[in-house]
């Protein structure tokens, strides 16, 4: 038997209530904050992701679904949503629009990861990008949006971690200090960190290995090395977050797994939980990315949240979510003449805006009623020979078990 590929899932009808709830809340928040939807292709030129995410990141080194297509082009299934949005911004000359351009997406994301709870090879993200403004008030807006979404969904006990990793001016001297520090302790580092030390020193701060973690406590902190401008930017951001009553924790270990970030980085996770797959959302500022992709210098900030992780957390917290409606009416019948009536009536109900199912094939009335029960409808309509003659139907209220006979042409109105 075939199975869904490892790390992917079918989202079956009972799960759809969660998905539809999350997507509706996300779209509503975007409307409130003035973000408009963008959709980009599922795959892009592989170089777009290598350039933006960074060659020495886990995503580019190990996780991209890349292949050569039949025309010989190198293609990658989207491993994140920010670079495609920047590509579209440049390609469609969005720098000519009033800035910042506020965009959002809901998209499937592909990463060849080791599957476990909350970590999949295909997952879905809701993300926002605000492009074309460096004001820290925009960082605060994006963080506020993320927080507002989680609160609106009914999630509780979340914690916001915040850090600033500086810019092209202040980061290189900081990285030198960091490298010197870790080099002094090289013998104690895990194999991964020893390897990363030369190429991607910042990621050492992120290592979950207990010995590396202990070393990280004493490691130089990026916020102590910020240049004047980055320092002011960070100070203003913190002021705006306070103004918006958003509680945050300064986390010097927070660096994120993509290379394009400058200044602000943040993550939101259930309080007290740590680990690679607990963050339900994260993002930050990426002021150099657009230029790296061939556009004009365009400061920008954004965030994304994993929809599967939202579903997991909503379930864990037993959050009350609205269940998608089931059909209202099931139409059952006895005999061929009644079936003609039933088919006509079902079509009429649907056209009148009342969701309806008709019984199919020749089942006993008992079997049809059982089917009506299982399908979760609120009403069953029964048509027998007598009803055909008298142009009426029997309407049964499933919850109350009561029934009444009403003229067939009054049914839609009665149900409404
Ligand atoms: P990211 O932190 O890699 O950031 O992913 C964002 C969110 O997607 C994570 O917080 C997590 O909820 C979810 N996620 C990531 N990987 C997986 C996975 N394998 N399985 C399930 N869920 C996952 C980005 O992708 C950036 N583009 C965010 C951003 C937008 N930064 C600026 N703008």
């Amino acid at each position: 038997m075939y199975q869904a590929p490892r790390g992917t899932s079918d989202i079956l009808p009972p799960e759809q209530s969660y998905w539809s709830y999350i997507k509706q809340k996300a779209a509503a928040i975007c409307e409130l904050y003035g973000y408009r939807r963008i959709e980009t292709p599922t795959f892009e030129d592989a170089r777009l992701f290598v350039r933006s995410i960074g060659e020495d990141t886990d995503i580019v080194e190990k996780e991209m679904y890349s292949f050569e297509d039949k025309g010989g082009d190198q293609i990658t299934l989207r491993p994140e949503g920010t670079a495609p949005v920047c590509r579209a911004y440049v390609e469609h000359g969005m720098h000519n629009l009033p800035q910042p351009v506020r965009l959002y997406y809901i998209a499937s994301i592909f990463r060849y990861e080791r599957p476990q709870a909350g970590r999949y090879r295909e997952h879905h993200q809701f993300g926002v990008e605000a492009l074309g403004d460096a004001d820290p008030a925009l960082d605060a807006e994006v963080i506020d949006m993320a927080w507002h979404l989680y609160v609106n969904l009914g999630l509780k006990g979340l914690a916001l971690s915040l850090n600033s990793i500086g810019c092209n001016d202040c980061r290189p001297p900081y990285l030198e200090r960091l490298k010197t520090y870790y080099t002094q302790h090289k013998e104690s580092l895990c194999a991964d960190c020893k390897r990363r030390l030369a190429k991607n020193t910042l990621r050492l701060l992120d290592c979950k290995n207990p010995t590396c973690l202990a070393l990280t406590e004493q490691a130089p902190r990026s916020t102590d090395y910020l240049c004047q401008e980055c320092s002011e930017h960070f100070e203003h951001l913190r002021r705006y977050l306070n103004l918006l009553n958003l509680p945050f924790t300064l986390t010097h270990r927070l660096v994120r797994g993509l290379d394009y970030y400058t200044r602000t980085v943040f993550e939101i996770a259930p309080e007290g939980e740590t680990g690679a797959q607990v963050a339900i959302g994260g993002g930050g500022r990426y002021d150099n990315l657009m230029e790296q992709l061939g556009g004009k210098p365009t400061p920008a900030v954004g965030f994304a949240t994993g929809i599967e992780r939202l579903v997991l957390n909503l379930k864990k917290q037993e959050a009350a979510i609205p269940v998608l409606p089931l059909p209202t009416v099931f139409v059952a019948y006895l005999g061929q003449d009644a079936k003609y009536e039933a088919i006509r009536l079902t079509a009429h109900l649907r056209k009148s805006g009342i969701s309806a199912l008709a019984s199919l094939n020749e089942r006993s009335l008992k079997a049809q009623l059982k089917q009506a029960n299982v399908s979760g409808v609120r009403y069953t309509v029964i048509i027998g020979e007598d009803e055909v003659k008298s142009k009426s139907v029997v309407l049964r209220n499933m919850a109350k078990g009561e029934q009444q006979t009403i003229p067939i042409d009054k049914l839609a109105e009665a149900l409404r």
Side-chain angles (χ1 to χ4, degrees):
M1 290 298 280
Y2 293 111
Q3 289 187 331
R6 203 162 120 75
T8 70
S9 323
D10 300 311
I11 308 162
L12 300 175
E15 287 286 295
Q16 293 291 344
S17 291
Y18 284 95
W19 286 73
S20 150
Y21 175 61
I22 293 167
K23 288 179 185 174
Q24 271 176 21
K25 290 276 185 198
I29 297 268
C30 287
E31 201 181 312
L32 269 180
Y33 285 71
Y35 285 65
R36 300 173 74 196
R37 184 153 185 178
I38 181 169
E39 288 180 47
T40 62
T42 305
F43 57 84
E44 299 265 358
D45 184 324
R47 288 168 296 187
L48 173 69
F49 298 115
V50 178
R51 288 231 64 183
S52 55
I53 300 169
E55 281 188 62
D56 301 321
T57 57
D58 282 353
I59 296 181
V60 170
E61 271 187 352
K62 304 188 270 200
E63 296 171 2
M64 294 212 302
Y65 279 88
S66 297
F67 59 96
E68 189 181 299
D69 72 6
K70 292 200 178 357
D73 290 330
Q74 284 300 324
I75 296 295
T76 296
L77 300 186
R78 169 177 55 209
E80 66 102 42
T82 308
V85 168
C86 292
R87 195 260 314 131
Y89 178 98
V90 177
E91 186 172 334
H92 301 286
M94 290 191 220
H95 59 272
N96 292 319
L97 301 173
Q99 306 291 303
V101 176
R102 294 178 165 90
L103 300 171
Y104 84 92
Y105 49 88
I106 295 174
S108 48
I109 304 286
F110 305 87
R111 296 181 186 176
Y112 189 79
E113 301 211 65
R114 199 163 50 78
Q116 51 189 284
R119 187 190 281 171
Y120 313 100
R121 290 186 176 167
E122 180 187 24
H123 73 277
H124 298 77
Q125 286 186 5
F126 158 63
V128 309
E129 313 293 348
L131 311 133
D133 205 308
D135 194 322
L138 194 57
D139 307 45
E141 173 180 296
V142 163
I143 296 173
D144 182 47
M145 243 181 126
W147 195 261
H148 194 158
L149 171 69
Y150 301 141
V151 169
N152 260 16
L153 284 171
L155 288 171
K156 300 199 167 65
L158 297 180
L160 165 63
S161 302
L162 184 71
N163 195 14
S164 174
I165 55 171
C167 66
N168 276 352
D169 289 336
C170 54
R171 195 168 332 142
Y174 166 63
L175 289 180
E176 277 312 309
R177 289 297 296 263
L178 201 61
K179 200 181 280 179
T180 308
Y181 170 79
Y182 278 118
T183 307
Q184 285 162 359
H185 299 93
K186 193 167 176 185
E187 290 319 307
S188 319
L189 293 174
C190 73
D192 264 353
C193 284
K194 277 189 184 128
R195 193 173 49 82
R196 284 192 197 124
L197 180 56
K199 290 203 292 185
N200 201 343
T201 323
L202 209 54
R203 289 307 306 277
L204 268 69
L205 293 170
D206 201 23
C207 183
K208 307 290 182 293
N209 176 296
T211 331
C212 302
L213 208 61
L215 277 176
T216 296
E217 267 318 300
Q218 305 303 321
R221 302 179 170 205
S222 56
T223 44
D224 292 335
Y225 293 83
L226 296 179
C227 60
Q228 177 86 18
E229 284 180 3
C230 287
S231 180
E232 279 171 14
H233 193 275
F234 196 40
E235 199 184 314
H236 277 112
L237 169 59
R238 289 178 342 241
R239 199 168 292 168
Y240 295 138
L241 293 178
N242 286 331
L243 216 74
L244 297 171
N245 287 323
L246 290 171
F248 58 88
T249 309
L250 293 181
T251 311
H252 76 279
R253 295 187 51 245
L254 181 66
V255 292
R256 314 250 319 122
L258 305 106
D259 279 357
Y260 50 62
Y261 291 110
T262 48
R263 295 187 168 169
T264 315
V265 287
F266 68 94
E267 263 176 18
I268 298 173
E271 228 159 11
E273 288 190 38
T274 52
Q277 63 284 347
V278 298
I280 56 174
R285 187 162 268 290
Y286 48 94
D287 290 344
N288 304 326
L289 180 53
M290 207 74 81
E291 223 177 331
Q292 265 175 38
L293 298 180
K296 295 191 163 81
T298 310
V301 56
F303 97 99
T305 188
I307 300 184
E308 285 82 355
R309 288 195 195 170
L310 289 177
V311 173
L312 277 176
N313 280 279
L314 286 169
K315 286 184 178 171
K316 211 190 234 173
Q317 300 191 5
E318 296 178 5
I321 64 145
V323 174
L324 284 177
L326 292 165
T328 308
V329 184
F330 186 92
V331 183
Y333 50 81
L334 258 181
Q336 186 61 41
D337 285 344
K339 180 170 182 178
Y340 294 137
E341 252 339 285
I343 300 298
R344 199 191 55 74
L345 177 65
T346 306
H348 171 68
L349 288 175
R350 288 169 174 163
K351 277 164 202 147
S352 315
I354 296 164
S355 54
L357 298 174
S359 175
L360 300 169
N361 299 309
E362 309 309 321
R363 295 205 176 94
S364 69
L365 190 59
K366 194 174 162 201
Q368 293 182 56
L369 294 180
K370 202 167 158 194
Q371 203 185 345
N373 224 346
V374 174
S375 63
V377 293
R378 285 158 60 200
Y379 299 97
T380 300
V381 163
I382 304 161
I383 313 177
E385 281 169 23
D386 291 349
E387 284 75 28
V388 173
K389 283 191 199 124
S390 63
K391 297 200 183 313
S392 62
V393 298
V394 173
L395 177 66
R396 173 186 288 203
N397 181 318
M398 302 299 277
K400 294 186 181 154
E402 294 166 0
Q403 52 187 53
Q404 53 175 317
T405 300
I406 50 175
I408 201 160
D409 55 1
K410 294 272 185 301
L411 180 67
E413 201 184 311
L415 284 168
R416 238 188 260 117

